[in-house]
Amino acid sequence: MLIAYLLFVSTLLYEAVICNVKKSCHKKCDCLGTYVDCSKTMINTFPEALPPWMETLDLNLNKIDGTLTIDTSSYLHLTTLKLTKNSISSFPIFVNKTKINHLNLAHNKIEKLEALENLPNLKTLDMNKNKLVFLDDHSFPQSTHLKILNLNNNLITNLTANCLDTLINLVELKISHNKLNNLPGGLFKKLKNLEFLDISRNHITVIHGLLFMDLVNLKTIILRQNQIEDLQDGSFFGLINLQSLHLEDNNLSKISKGWLYGLNSLVYLNISYNRIDQIKSGWEYCAELEELDLSYNKLQYIEKSNLENLRKLQKLHLNNNRLSFIEEGSFNNTPMLRILQMDHNYLSWLIEDAKETFIGLRNLKKLSLANNKILFIKKEAFSGLDNLDELNLLQNNVLEIQDEAFKYMPNLEYLYLNSSSLVCDCSMSWLKQPNIFESLPFDYINAFCGFPEKNKGKNLKEISLTDFSCLENSPKPTIIFHPESKMVLERQNITLKCGVNSSSTEKINFVWKKDNHDLELISTNHYSSFEFNGMTQFSVLNLYNISMSQSGKYQCVASNEFGITYSNRSVLSVVVYPFFAKVPGNSSIKTGLTARLECAANGYPVPQISWQKDGGTDFPAAQERRMRVARDDVFLIVDVKLVDMGIYSCTAKNVAGMIAANATLNVLEPPWFKSEMSNKQVRVGEEVVLECLSYGYPRPKIKWIKDGVSLTLSNRHFFTAENQLLVIMEANTDDSGTYQCEITNSLGVNSQKVDVLVMPLYQSLIHEYTLGLVVIAIILCIIIISSIWVLFVYKAKRPSPNLINNADNKSLDSSNSKDSGTGESTKRSQEQLFNECLNAGQKLNNNLGNLSPEINSPLLTHASVILGENSVKYKHSKTATLPVKLPTTELHETVEDQIKCIKTSEKPCSIPAPLPNETQDSPPIVQQSCSDVNLHEQTVDPL
């Protein structure tokens, strides 16, 4: 009974609750617990009589229009409100503050964001497909918890720089499909927490540097379908956590290091559907990149450096480009690559003629080369693909597959190949070898033979091994004449010739390639000649007025319906004769400064510049380490000297030829003297030679001045050696004075002075005689002293008999000696004798100087000047006498009164006075005798 009662009570309570719910739910709505669905009910206003515990209200697809006023005071639990696909024209007015977290107003006609003050808990706001035109600084209230904002598909043309400043908690922002032309700087400065940003499908043309620098937590940015032509340097700087970047469908033309800077965390980069024609290095900033999409661009080639630093790349999309060349070793930089798509390009040569293109792709799993016009698969084409699972060669009308072409792919599971023109002769018999045929995945191969006739139309799987027979004369083309490598001057005309043999009379299709690119709009001639084994066809490539851009590797590709063949690559080197861009010019420079000679030349190869001086390679500046090279076109000589003056030749040389240009370097030097002039003292009648050795450039002009007055030529004054020597013949006392040598050039003036003294004849003679007597007296005294010393030593060595006899009784007492030098001895010591001789010589000189100077001596005549190499000499024209008579008696007596030479024997000696000898040309002889010593006749040169 108790259980039955409880069931009855429960039933009544449930009925009551159901009745209450039905009474509180709008008649057109469905109340499903906390979810109230009022969508598609054609209501045009906010419904009433809704459950108070309602959390989600769906008002989608109704006819609500105009301004909607909402009172949520009765719905305290409402957190989600959906108003999509109505006709609301302005943002709903909430009467009171609500707890709504998610508000969806998509597909309405709202033109302005406002009245958000009563939505303090709003986290998600969807304004997709409205008619918003702009966002200003007042669009969002100050305090908001908004995290997701969808503004896609509006008409927004302008955003103020501060319009998003209050959205500091925003995590996801979508402004796709609007009409934005520009993003103002600082727009995202407050969005530190933003992780997802979609600005696709606008009209943005330029992304300025540092625009996103404050978005430190951004992980994905979508910029696809804009009109971006330029990404400035540092466009994505600051996005240190960015992992995904979408730039597809823009107008970008290049990938450069500048705008990749800072993308250190990037994992996915999509630049497809642009017009990029080349890839430059710069991937060092994207070392974490795992997927790169470059499809649908205009790439023509990939060089080895284009994929550097992509060591973690796993997926590379290069399909739908214009690729015709991939440099060998390019994929060595992408060792982790697993998927490589290169469909719809011009990479037939990559499989037909290249070698080791895929070396380095040991981890590649999928390779797609569909629609690349591949006709021939070379033996080494897929070397390096050890772990390849899938190979797509669809839409390539392959004619021939060389032996062992698939042996480098032991793990191949999917081989997609369709062809209807295989040449099924003995060259293809290897495919039917049991170990090969069983390992190939023929389930994905749809290949048929096109030749020979017996196999035509048969599926490759149906033909037996015996059907692959060899033909006596093969119709497949074979190169018999390869184009030759050439070196030509620019603007010349050249031809390259290619010859192909085939048993087929069908016309050979010739294609000329340059650097693996097909040449278009070129002049070619074709002709044929019949040989015993078939027909040989030739193709001649004509290149007129050739330019530098036509340098490269040329190759002839010949094909017919039976096969294709490649010639060797001929290297065409176009060289340009050197020509000067800068020609050295004449220059003048002062010593001590730096000379600058410029010379630059253009040409190809780049000419080598060399210098010569005066036609040789002897550079004093180089030997003295004064030569510098500031730049390739600037040659410097520091601390210039006169030896650097000369003609400098600049030579530019390359393989095409050589040119030269000359320039004269003049070194200017102020005037200076090699040595100082010395004072002169000569006798009357002698010559005077003054040397003024000057240097400088230009050559200094020399001017001689005496006592302030310029000297001029006369019968006794001569200037020689370009005025560097002043010669005065038969000097007289008037020639005494101060002489000045003044040198002058364009850089300055310099001068030096010298004093000249011309002595009268009697003064010079007296001076000479006196000097001679003094010398003789000194020599005589030295001889006398030496003799005394010898005699003293001799006597000292002979022992006295008294000393010997008294040796045992007495000893010598030196203190009692009379010759101890104390002055008490009656004999003079050696030192006293020497001093007396010196005093006597001085007195003699004084007495001779006191003689009367009044001597009547005529001037010397009949002389001539002989100029030697380094000096000027004076020579008498005949023997001349010196009519000078000195008083002999008085002089002799005077000398004997003043000089007495004492020897150990105390015998006096006499010094006769000098006597003039009228019969000799030499000066008077001074004779001196002292005891047994005789001085022979000596001659003293007056000069």
Side-chain angles (χ1 to χ4, degrees):
M1 291 295 294
L2 180 60
I3 295 174
Y5 177 75
L6 291 175
L7 289 174
F8 176 74
V9 171
S10 298
T11 301
L12 292 177
L13 290 174
Y14 177 77
E15 291 289 338
V17 169
I18 293 299
C19 291
N20 289 332
V21 169
K22 289 183 177 179
K23 288 180 181 179
S24 60
C25 189
H26 194 276
K27 61 182 179 179
K28 294 184 177 182
C29 301
D30 294 328
C31 297
L32 305 174
T34 59
Y35 181 85
V36 178
D37 184 5
C38 299
S39 63
K40 301 179 183 179
T41 58
M42 306 299 290
I43 60 176
N44 56 11
T45 186
F46 192 84
E48 297 179 357
L50 295 175
W53 57 83
M54 172 182 63
E55 294 181 3
T56 301
L57 176 59
D58 188 349
L59 293 173
N60 296 337
L61 294 165
N62 283 292
K63 292 190 175 295
I64 304 173
D65 58 2
T67 302
L68 179 64
T69 302
I70 302 175
D71 184 0
T72 59
S73 58
S74 300
Y75 313 111
L76 300 179
H77 300 284
L78 183 63
T79 57
T80 302
L81 177 59
K82 300 178 181 180
L83 290 166
T84 61
K85 294 186 178 180
N86 282 278
S87 301
I88 303 172
S89 58
S90 61
F91 197 86
I93 299 174
F94 292 87
V95 176
N96 48 7
K97 293 186 181 297
T98 71
K99 293 183 178 179
I100 294 177
N101 294 329
H102 308 284
L103 177 59
N104 193 334
L105 292 167
H107 294 270
N108 280 282
K109 300 178 181 180
I110 301 173
E111 298 180 356
K112 186 177 180 181
L113 269 177
E114 56 184 353
L116 292 173
E117 289 79 8
N118 288 332
L119 295 168
N121 298 309
L122 191 63
K123 294 182 179 180
T124 302
L125 176 60
D126 191 344
M127 298 293 296
N128 181 34
K129 288 222 171 180
N130 277 275
K131 294 185 178 182
L132 297 175
V133 177
F134 65 91
L135 295 180
D136 57 20
D137 297 351
H138 306 289
S139 297
F140 301 98
Q142 288 295 324
S143 57
T144 177
H145 294 85
L146 197 62
K147 290 187 175 182
I148 299 175
L149 176 60
N150 187 347
L151 299 173
N152 290 346
N153 298 287
N154 278 275
L155 304 173
I156 301 174
T157 58
N158 186 39
L159 298 173
T160 61
N162 302 317
C163 66
L164 304 177
D165 285 0
T166 58
L167 305 178
I168 57 176
N169 296 309
L170 200 63
V171 175
E172 182 177 312
L173 175 60
K174 299 178 181 179
I175 322 178
S176 174
H177 206 291
N178 280 275
K179 296 184 178 182
L180 290 172
N181 294 312
N182 184 37
L183 297 175
L187 177 65
F188 307 106
K189 60 181 177 294
K190 299 290 186 179
L191 306 185
K192 304 290 185 182
N193 295 306
L194 195 67
E195 296 180 3
F196 181 90
L197 176 61
D198 185 359
I199 322 177
S200 61
R201 301 179 69 182
N202 279 279
H203 305 299
I204 301 171
T205 58
V206 178
I207 300 295
H208 297 285
L210 308 180
L211 177 64
F212 306 110
M213 65 177 298
D214 298 302
L215 301 177
V216 293
N217 287 305
L218 193 67
K219 291 183 172 58
T220 301
I221 182 170
I222 302 175
L223 293 166
R224 70 165 70 98
Q225 288 183 283
N226 276 280
Q227 299 173 12
I228 301 174
E229 297 180 356
D230 184 24
L231 291 170
Q232 296 184 356
D233 291 351
S235 293
F236 303 107
F237 177 75
L239 300 178
I240 56 177
N241 289 303
L242 190 69
Q243 298 179 1
S244 180
L245 175 58
H246 294 260
L247 289 165
E248 58 266 36
D249 203 359
N250 279 284
N251 291 320
L252 295 172
S253 60
K254 62 181 179 179
I255 300 174
S256 64
K257 181 185 299 186
W259 63 263
L260 288 173
Y261 181 71
L263 298 177
N264 299 326
S265 300
L266 196 64
V267 175
Y268 175 81
L269 175 60
N270 192 333
I271 327 176
S272 61
Y273 292 95
N274 279 276
R275 47 190 184 90
I276 297 171
D277 57 1
Q278 61 179 326
I279 305 174
K280 295 184 179 180
S281 59
W283 300 115
E284 60 264 32
Y285 304 122
C286 305
E288 300 297 321
L289 199 63
E290 296 180 2
E291 183 172 356
L292 175 60
D293 193 341
L294 287 166
S295 60
Y296 293 93
N297 276 283
K298 297 182 179 181
L299 292 173
Q300 299 182 16
Y301 59 88
I302 293 178
E303 295 179 341
K304 186 182 298 185
S305 61
N306 294 158
L307 300 177
E308 285 182 346
N309 302 298
L310 293 175
R311 308 292 296 180
K312 294 185 178 181
L313 193 67
Q314 297 184 20
K315 297 180 181 179
L316 178 59
H317 307 274
L318 296 171
N319 51 290
N320 296 88
N321 276 277
R322 301 176 183 178
L323 286 173
S324 61
F325 173 72
I326 297 178
E327 187 177 3
E328 183 179 325
S330 295
F331 295 119
N332 291 345
N333 299 310
T334 56
M336 301 302 295
L337 203 61
R338 299 175 63 85
I339 297 175
L340 177 58
Q341 292 186 333
M342 296 191 292
D343 305 338
H344 297 274
N345 281 287
Y346 304 96
L347 292 172
S348 57
W349 74 273
L350 197 68
I351 306 302
E352 297 170 354
D353 191 51
K355 295 181 180 179
E356 299 183 346
T357 303
F358 303 109
I359 294 295
L361 296 179
R362 301 293 180 185
N363 294 303
L364 194 67
K365 295 294 184 180
K366 180 179 179 180
L367 173 62
S368 184
L369 287 165
N371 198 357
N372 271 278
K373 299 181 173 59
I374 300 171
L375 299 179
F376 171 69
I377 299 178
K378 197 173 182 177
K379 179 178 180 179
E380 304 90 352
F382 301 109
S383 61
L385 301 178
D386 299 343
N387 293 298
L388 195 69
D389 293 337
E390 180 179 328
L391 175 61
N392 186 356
L393 295 173
L394 293 175
Q395 300 178 40
N396 291 292
N397 197 23
V398 177
L399 302 177
E400 182 179 354
I401 303 174
Q402 204 170 43
D403 187 13
E404 299 182 343
F406 300 126
K407 78 170 185 177
Y408 298 101
M409 301 176 289
N411 298 320
L412 193 63
E413 296 182 5
Y414 305 94
L415 175 60
Y416 298 98
L417 174 66
N418 59 339
S419 175
S420 59
S421 304
L422 283 175
V423 178
C424 298
D425 59 4
C426 60
S427 64
M428 293 282 288
S429 62
W430 65 273
L431 279 171
K432 284 298 181 176
Q433 298 297 327
N435 58 333
I436 300 296
F437 185 80
E438 294 172 359
S439 61
L440 287 178
F442 273 94
D443 294 340
Y444 307 97
I445 297 176
N446 188 22
F448 296 86
C449 296
F451 184 84
E453 193 64 31
K454 65 177 183 178
N455 295 330
K456 188 174 183 179
K458 294 182 180 180
N459 192 294
L460 190 61
K461 293 184 289 186
E462 301 172 357
I463 302 176
S464 63
L465 179 62
T466 57
D467 291 332
F468 290 93
S469 59
C470 293
L471 302 178
E472 183 177 353
N473 294 319
S474 175
K476 294 187 291 186
T478 303
I479 299 286
I480 62 171
F481 189 87
H482 296 269
E484 298 177 347
S485 296
K486 295 183 178 181
M487 179 182 292
V488 296
L489 278 173
E490 192 178 29
R491 302 185 183 282
Q492 286 188 339
N493 302 329
I494 66 161
T495 59
L496 297 175
K497 184 179 179 182
C498 177
V500 179
N501 185 266
S502 172
S503 63
S504 173
T505 58
E506 180 188 354
K507 183 179 179 180
I508 298 291
N509 178 35
F510 287 95
V511 175
W512 284 91
K513 288 178 174 288
K514 175 184 175 291
D515 298 329
N516 296 307
H517 297 276
D518 291 351
L519 290 174
E520 300 176 357
L521 302 175
I522 57 174
S523 173
T524 56
N525 297 328
H526 302 281
Y527 63 93
S528 305
S529 65
F530 290 92
E531 308 290 343
F532 68 93
N533 59 344
M535 185 175 68
T536 300
Q537 301 185 43
F538 294 90
S539 176
V540 178
L541 172 64
N542 301 306
L543 299 175
Y544 301 105
N545 194 24
I546 198 165
S547 63
M548 284 296 303
S549 61
Q550 292 175 282
S551 295
K553 296 180 179 179
Y554 287 78
Q555 191 175 26
C556 167
V557 182
S559 62
N560 59 13
E561 63 176 330
F562 305 105
I564 186 171
T565 183
Y566 285 74
S567 73
N568 296 336
R569 293 177 174 86
S570 66
V571 179
L572 179 61
S573 301
V574 180
V575 296
V576 179
Y577 199 82
F579 61 93
F580 282 114
K582 291 182 181 179
V583 180
N586 299 334
S587 60
S588 298
I589 190 168
K590 291 177 64 175
T591 55
L593 300 180
T594 299
R596 179 187 180 96
L597 296 172
E598 295 189 31
C599 182
N602 294 329
Y604 189 84
V606 177
Q608 291 184 345
I609 302 295
S610 60
W611 288 89
Q612 288 183 326
K613 180 180 181 293
D614 298 328
T617 57
D618 183 17
F619 283 89
Q623 296 172 358
E624 299 173 8
R625 300 183 182 273
R626 293 185 292 106
M627 193 169 63
R628 304 284 188 272
V629 178
R631 297 196 307 268
D632 291 342
D633 56 350
V634 177
F635 171 66
L636 301 177
I637 301 176
V638 299
D639 191 17
V640 170
K641 300 180 180 180
L642 279 177
V643 293
D644 299 323
M645 185 163 51
I647 298 175
Y648 289 81
S649 301
C650 174
T651 302
K653 183 179 180 181
N654 65 7
V655 294
M658 181 180 70
I659 57 175
N662 296 331
T664 300
L665 177 63
N666 291 319
V667 179
L668 306 178
E669 184 178 39
W672 60 283
F673 295 101
K674 181 179 180 181
S675 60
E676 292 293 330
M677 298 170 61
S678 58
N679 296 333
K680 297 285 185 178
Q681 183 174 326
V682 299
R683 296 183 301 179
V684 171
E686 292 182 342
E687 81 280 3
V688 178
V689 180
L690 300 180
E691 292 184 349
C692 182
L693 302 180
S694 62
Y695 292 92
Y697 192 85
R699 186 69 179 172
K701 295 180 179 180
I702 301 177
K703 180 180 179 181
W704 289 92
I705 301 171
K706 177 181 180 292
D707 296 331
V709 179
S710 298
L711 278 175
T712 57
L713 291 174
S714 68
N715 58 349
R716 292 191 308 108
H717 296 79
F718 300 96
F719 301 113
T720 62
E722 298 180 348
N723 292 354
Q724 292 189 100
L725 296 180
L726 169 61
V727 180
I728 304 175
M729 303 298 300
E730 298 179 1
N732 57 41
T733 55
D734 293 337
D735 294 321
S736 296
T738 300
Y739 287 78
Q740 180 179 353
C741 175
E742 184 178 276
I743 55 177
T744 307
N745 68 6
S746 59
L747 299 181
V749 180
N750 201 352
S751 65
Q752 60 177 340
K753 296 180 180 180
V754 64
D755 291 327
V756 175
L757 175 62
V758 181
M759 296 185 298
L761 185 59
Y762 68 90
Q763 288 186 354
S764 62
L765 290 176
I766 293 173
H767 177 72
E768 292 172 2
Y769 296 153
T770 303
L771 182 60
L773 290 174
V774 171
V775 171
I776 292 173
I778 292 174
I779 294 174
L780 184 60
C781 289
I782 293 174
I783 293 173
I784 294 172
I785 294 171
S786 300
S787 300
I788 295 172
W789 180 252
V790 170
L791 182 60
F792 175 77
V793 171
Y794 174 75
K795 288 185 176 184
K797 288 185 177 182
R798 293 182 62 183
S800 174
N802 296 328
L803 293 175
I804 296 175
N805 295 331
N806 301 324
D808 298 331
N809 303 320
K810 299 181 182 179
S811 64
L812 294 176
D813 189 353
S814 59
S815 62
N816 297 325
S817 176
K818 299 293 184 180
D819 296 328
S820 62
T822 60
E824 298 175 359
S825 176
T826 57
K827 295 183 180 180
R828 288 169 289 182
S829 66
Q830 182 183 3
E831 182 179 357
Q832 289 174 328
L833 290 174
F834 179 73
N835 291 333
E836 289 179 3
C837 288
L838 289 180
N839 293 331
Q842 292 176 358
K843 292 180 181 180
L844 175 61
N845 186 25
N846 295 332
N847 290 333
L848 290 176
N850 295 328
L851 294 178
S852 174
E854 297 180 0
I855 301 174
N856 185 13
S857 59
L859 295 176
L860 297 175
T861 58
H862 307 290
S864 61
V865 175
I866 299 175
L867 297 178
E869 293 181 356
N870 300 313
S871 64
V872 178
K873 298 181 180 179
Y874 176 80
K875 181 180 180 183
H876 294 286
S877 62
K878 63 180 181 179
T879 304
T881 60
L882 296 176
V884 180
K885 295 183 179 180
L886 299 177
T888 60
T889 305
E890 292 79 5
L891 180 61
H892 178 71
E893 293 175 354
T894 305
V895 172
E896 285 192 350
D897 291 339
Q898 296 181 3
I899 300 178
K900 291 183 180 180
C901 293
I902 307 300
K903 296 180 66 175
T904 56
S905 61
E906 299 185 3
K907 181 179 180 180
C909 32
S910 61
I911 302 177
L915 298 175
N917 190 352
E918 297 180 358
T919 61
Q920 297 180 359
D921 294 336
S922 59
I925 304 300
V926 177
Q927 293 182 347
Q928 197 174 36
S929 63
C930 188
S931 183
D932 298 331
V933 181
N934 294 321
L935 296 178
H936 295 285
E937 182 179 273
Q938 296 183 5
T939 302
V940 180
D941 191 350
L943 294 180

